[in-house]
Amino acid sequence: MMEEPDYLKEINNGISEMYNSIVEIYEMVLSVLKEPTAGKTKEICDKTKLVMEQEEAIIDRCVEALIRHQPFAGDLRAVTSAMRISYDLARISRYLSNIVQVIDDVQSGVACAPDVKGLLESGWEMVQESVKSYLSRDPVRAASVIDEDAKIDSGYRKVLSRYRDYAGGGACVLLNGLIARIVERMADHACYISAETVYMVTGSRIGVRAPKCPPDLSSQ
Amino acid sequence: MATKLVTERLSAWFGKKQVLKDISIAFEERQVTALVGPSGCGKSTFIRCLNRMHELNPGARVEGKAFLDGIDIYGMDPMDVRRKIGMVFQKPNPFPNMSISDNVVAGIKLSGEKSKADLDAIVERTLKSVGLYDEVKDDLRRSGASLSGGQQQRLCIARALAMEPEVILMDEPTSALDPASTSRIEDLIRKLKSEITVIIITHNVGQAARISDKTAFLYLGELIEYNDTKEFFESPKSPITERYITGRFG
């Protein structure tokens, strides 16, 4: 592998810092799911704003790299991929903060169902793997993240199917259905990050950003 | 896209030293093709083989084939080849003792009789096509050498175009020019391709990316890679190409 120029190292550091902020958000979300705590929502919201600022800073660095260095080939792909990945990470941070907002909005005291929490953990694992594959420039590891997406989609559909005729109360349906949906979207962005890594390293595009067909609940 | 100019296993030598090795390439009609590669890789020799200027060097030799519209250019009259395949050099080289208008029609005057009215029309048409006419129309009798570097290069392009070539070869045509003049020449090259096939050598990979439809990379006398420019600069197939265009060597 060719040594990366300094401007790409700086961009990677930016992505790494952004990811670290999102790890903190995820840990705060887990603590809220375990035990809702007053003031946590604002803390998560502030951290999410920081992630948005980090995204802006990465985009700025990428634009500057395009202007100053006019990169080509692998360097060009690294810059354009970093721009897309920073957007995907920003979306993931928004989704994580949305989980806490859903809990606040529903205000029912209903707990997140174990399978939905398990779905969140699986989705988060995909996010972790996608970022690690990007930082280590590992297209094989990245491709394996994309393979995991079907499990998340299937888990999401199972949750919807289970709550479709649920008689136990609207709050429970809302909370778990919305969180499952958020996780499904978060996992999609993990796939986008992985696809960017494959493109960045190999030059080949995997068409994961195309919209999926609506789930067929009757088959569940 | 029709092919205009094709080489088949073209090799070239200076004395015993082989400088081009079995180059096979098809240049598409009315497209701009950029040739890139480190100094000494054979780019200039290659394009000089295309209009039979290489053989003018003492001890120079060419093997292989080159076809213009399917006709072997090494079976043609060299002067006819050079009329159909014009050339613009790195350093603007207007004839210093000739006026602007005489510079434009110098080649035409050599190749046959034309009336003054015809020559005036050619001067106006070609100077307009390179965007120089409005800048010089008030004094076409001025010496070509009195123009700025960028204007001189456009004058040289006008001189090449006056011969109505089918292909124009450009050997680093902007390397001696300032950014504004470079930009004008690049605009002109993009415009020219609506009528003729352009093959340009450049050391500026950014310029190759900006103006060409196809790009070829030569290294140590061999054609390493030839592809659509976007593909070439986004995802080159060869690691050597990648290393060159990302500035790791060359």
Side-chain angles (χ1 to χ4, degrees), chain B:
Chain B
M1 197 71 67
T3 51
K4 183 71 184 174
L5 190 56
V6 177
T7 68
E8 290 177 2
R9 303 197 65 184
L10 192 87
S11 297
W13 287 259
F14 282 106
K16 288 182 180 172
K17 184 177 168 52
Q18 186 171 6
V19 289
L20 292 177
K21 297 168 191 165
D22 288 335
I23 294 189
S24 297
I25 190 168
F27 295 102
E28 291 175 357
E29 188 170 31
R30 294 183 186 184
Q31 296 278 283
V32 177
T33 301
L35 300 180
V36 299
S39 298
C41 71
K43 304 181 296 292
S44 294
T45 303
F46 179 58
I47 65 167
R48 292 168 75 89
C49 289
L50 298 179
N51 75 343
R52 298 193 56 178
M53 285 179 68
H54 176 65
E55 67 204 55
L56 299 176
N57 296 297
R61 186 162 63 89
V62 177
E63 278 184 12
K65 299 279 187 186
F67 300 96
L68 178 67
D69 291 327
I71 299 167
D72 184 356
I73 64 170
Y74 281 87
M76 293 167 65
D77 175 352
M79 293 306 288
D80 201 26
V81 172
R82 287 172 208 142
R83 194 192 62 72
K84 290 185 173 182
I85 305 176
M87 192 153 190
V88 174
F89 298 89
Q90 180 177 4
K91 199 170 168 225
N93 56 352
F95 302 124
N97 54 347
M98 284 189 190
S99 68
I100 292 167
S101 53
D102 284 346
N103 257 284
V104 173
V105 294
I108 292 175
K109 280 181 173 175
L110 282 175
S111 60
E113 286 293 313
K114 281 212 187 295
S115 70
K116 184 177 180 309
D118 284 346
L119 292 174
D120 287 347
I122 290 168
V123 168
E124 183 173 338
R125 176 172 52 78
T126 53
L127 288 178
K128 276 183 177 169
S129 72
V130 300
L132 191 56
Y133 186 72
D134 286 341
E135 296 167 42
V136 299
K137 66 183 176 191
D138 295 333
D139 192 3
L140 292 170
R141 306 310 307 166
R142 271 165 70 192
S143 163
S146 69
L147 300 174
S148 71
Q151 287 173 322
Q152 285 185 23
Q153 192 61 300
R154 279 184 283 149
L155 176 61
C156 293
I157 295 171
R159 188 173 65 197
L161 293 178
M163 301 297 288
E164 298 184 344
E166 295 168 27
V167 178
I168 193 158
L169 310 171
M170 296 182 163
D171 193 348
E172 295 187 64
T174 63
S175 64
L177 304 182
D178 60 49
S181 301
T182 296
S183 178
R184 294 201 68 159
I185 300 278
E186 288 181 359
D187 288 344
L188 173 59
I189 290 168
R190 278 189 284 265
K191 203 174 78 174
L192 284 177
K193 78 168 187 180
S194 65
E195 294 183 9
I196 59 177
T197 305
V198 180
I199 300 168
I200 177 173
I201 289 176
T202 178
H203 272 121
N204 181 338
V205 288
Q207 180 174 66
R210 282 194 297 276
I211 63 172
S212 70
D213 302 292
K214 307 266 287 188
T215 303
F217 173 57
L218 271 68
Y219 182 58
L220 299 176
E222 293 183 57
L223 177 64
I224 304 295
E225 187 158 350
Y226 177 47
N227 208 341
D228 288 340
T229 292
K230 181 180 179 291
E231 184 77 12
F232 183 95
F233 284 103
E234 187 183 2
S235 301
K237 301 284 179 285
S238 160
I240 307 172
T241 310
E242 168 117 16
R243 286 177 57 75
Y244 178 72
I245 63 176
T246 56
R248 263 55 167 202
F249 85 98

Side-chain angles (χ1 to χ4, degrees), chain A residues 136-150:
Chain A
S136 61
R137 300 325 199 219
D138 186 342
V140 177
R141 192 173 182 178
S144 69
V145 174
I146 296 167
D147 293 340
E148 289 296 307
D149 194 40

Side-chain angles (χ1 to χ4, degrees), chain A residues 32-94:
Chain A
V32 171
L33 285 175
K34 197 172 172 188
E35 189 179 351
T37 314
K40 214 64 171 173
T41 306
K42 186 179 181 316
E43 205 179 324
I44 289 171
C45 187
D46 287 344
K47 201 74 184 172
T48 306
K49 281 181 190 165
L50 172 68
V51 171
M52 300 299 144
E53 288 167 15
Q54 289 172 321
E55 181 203 6
E56 286 297 321
I58 289 168
I59 301 288
D60 279 351
R61 276 184 190 168
C62 290
V63 170
E64 188 177 351
L66 292 171
I67 293 166
R68 287 187 188 279
H69 303 285
Q70 298 178 18
F72 290 117
D75 295 349
L76 174 63
R77 298 197 302 272
V79 173
T80 58
S81 292
M83 292 172 93
R84 284 171 169 241
I85 286 170
S86 67
Y87 168 75
D88 290 319
L89 286 174
R91 292 302 308 162
I92 287 167
S93 74
R94 287 293 295 268

Side-chain angles (χ1 to χ4, degrees), chain A residues 149 153 184-185 188 208 210-214:
Chain A
D149 194 40
D153 288 348
E184 190 273 334
R185 291 299 301 131
D188 282 346
V208 293
K212 293 172 189 166
C213 296

Side-chain angles (χ1 to χ4, degrees), chain A residues 196-210:
Chain A
E196 281 303 323
T197 299
V198 172
Y199 166 70
M200 179 181 70
V201 178
T202 67
S204 300
R205 282 261 179 228
I206 304 174
V208 293
R209 286 185 192 259

